[in-house]
Amino acid sequence: MASTAATLVASTAATLLVSTVAPATGPLDKYLWMLILGFVIAFVLAFSVGANDVANSFGTAVGSGVVTLKQACILASIFETVGSVLLGAKVSETIRKGLIDVTMYNTTQHLLMAGSVSAMFGSAVWQLVASFLKLPISGTHCIVGATIGFSLVAQGQKGVKWSELVKIVLSWFVSPLLSGIMSGILFYLVRTFILRKADPVPNGLRALPVFYACTIGINLFSIMYTGAPWLKSPRRWLACTHFRRLQASVC
């Protein structure tokens, strides 16, 4: 799910662009070209995200020979899209109006449109350059920085929601730390109870249902509880119940 958030940057920026022109009529008609240009750049941005962030997600799987490069591309195309649709609402909302004060652009919507296009273009260019240089970077970091950059130029410091930015930056430091701790614990358990046994295959096969159940359960719970807005609240309780049943079935 790590790069699912990153695949949202193009669609999120495009949504921000559309949201500025949708309520308006008349004067903004002459900026239709900017909307069309924004969609074109959004596709380029999505391409750059796939070139870099998907490699971050599937690099270890391809490198170890678990899946081929072709299989990784097919899986990424399917599940990155599904993940962004089902789990991307909160992240999209944060990028769209959680970083900057969009109300400051009520009378200058064309300025917000131009800033959104500039942010997408800057993020896309840097990610493509980083991919050519073989640098693993984050698409989320790029679009956040680009959005903050255009807001500082357009409205100064008052246009940035600094408290939200601090939370996001803190998450960039906390996420690798927590991921490393969880990975270390999981590898220690696998090495102790599976790999170091005289015959690790039986233990490995017995552990597979546990890993599958935990992975599917966590994904279902996340989708139903904090997923897309069209997932109604009764389904949240269904997700909680299903998650508990999965846990009970493997224990």
Side-chain angles (χ1 to χ4, degrees):
M1 304 300 290
S3 63
T4 300
T7 55
L8 294 169
V9 293
S11 60
T12 299
T15 302
L16 174 60
L17 192 62
V18 173
S19 66
T20 63
V21 71
T25 56
L28 287 183
D29 287 346
K30 59 183 179 181
Y31 297 109
L32 180 61
W33 65 270
M34 199 181 300
L35 179 66
I36 298 173
L37 177 63
F39 272 105
V40 173
I41 296 177
F43 279 102
V44 177
L45 178 55
F47 175 83
S48 65
V49 170
N52 200 288
D53 270 28
V54 173
N56 296 342
S57 299
F58 285 91
T60 53
V62 175
S64 62
V66 175
V67 295
T68 64
L69 182 60
K70 181 178 180 180
Q71 291 171 337
C73 292
I74 295 174
L75 290 173
S77 301
I78 297 172
F79 291 103
E80 294 281 328
T81 303
V82 173
S84 63
V85 171
L86 296 179
L87 287 172
K90 302 266 182 202
V91 178
S92 296
E93 192 69 11
T94 300
I95 299 294
R96 189 171 70 90
K97 60 181 182 180
L99 292 173
I100 61 177
D101 186 2
V102 294
T103 59
M104 298 183 66
Y105 299 91
N106 286 340
T107 58
T108 55
Q109 293 178 334
H110 62 282
L111 188 62
L112 180 59
M113 294 172 63
S116 300
V117 172
S118 301
M120 289 191 296
F121 181 77
S123 179
V125 169
W126 168 238
Q127 288 184 80
L128 287 174
V129 170
S131 298
F132 282 117
L133 296 177
K134 301 179 181 180
L135 299 176
I137 61 173
S138 170
T140 308
H141 297 184
C142 291
I143 196 64
V144 167
T147 303
I148 296 297
F150 99 75
S151 182
L152 287 174
V153 173
Q155 299 291 348
Q157 296 184 7
K158 60 183 179 180
V160 179
K161 295 182 178 180
W162 294 105
S163 59
E164 291 296 323
L165 180 60
V166 169
K167 293 178 184 178
I168 294 172
V169 173
L170 285 176
S171 72
W172 295 346
F173 291 94
V174 173
S175 295
L177 179 62
L178 293 180
S179 298
I181 293 174
M182 294 178 63
S183 176
I185 294 174
L186 181 60
F187 179 73
Y188 174 79
L189 294 174
V190 171
R191 185 179 61 177
T192 302
F193 296 104
I194 299 177
L195 298 180
R196 286 187 173 177
K197 298 299 181 180
D199 186 7
V201 175
N203 286 345
L205 293 176
R206 281 192 290 266
L208 277 179
V210 178
F211 292 141
Y212 289 154
C214 290
T215 302
I216 295 173
I218 292 172
N219 278 314
L220 286 176
F221 178 81
S222 300
I223 291 170
M224 298 299 182
Y225 192 76
T226 60
W230 47 267
L231 296 173
K232 304 300 182 181
S233 55
R235 296 187 180 182
R236 296 182 179 180
W237 296 105
L238 178 62
C240 294
T241 303
H242 186 63
F243 180 63
R244 290 169 185 162
R245 287 176 179 173
L246 281 173
Q247 286 182 318
S249 66
V250 298
C251 295

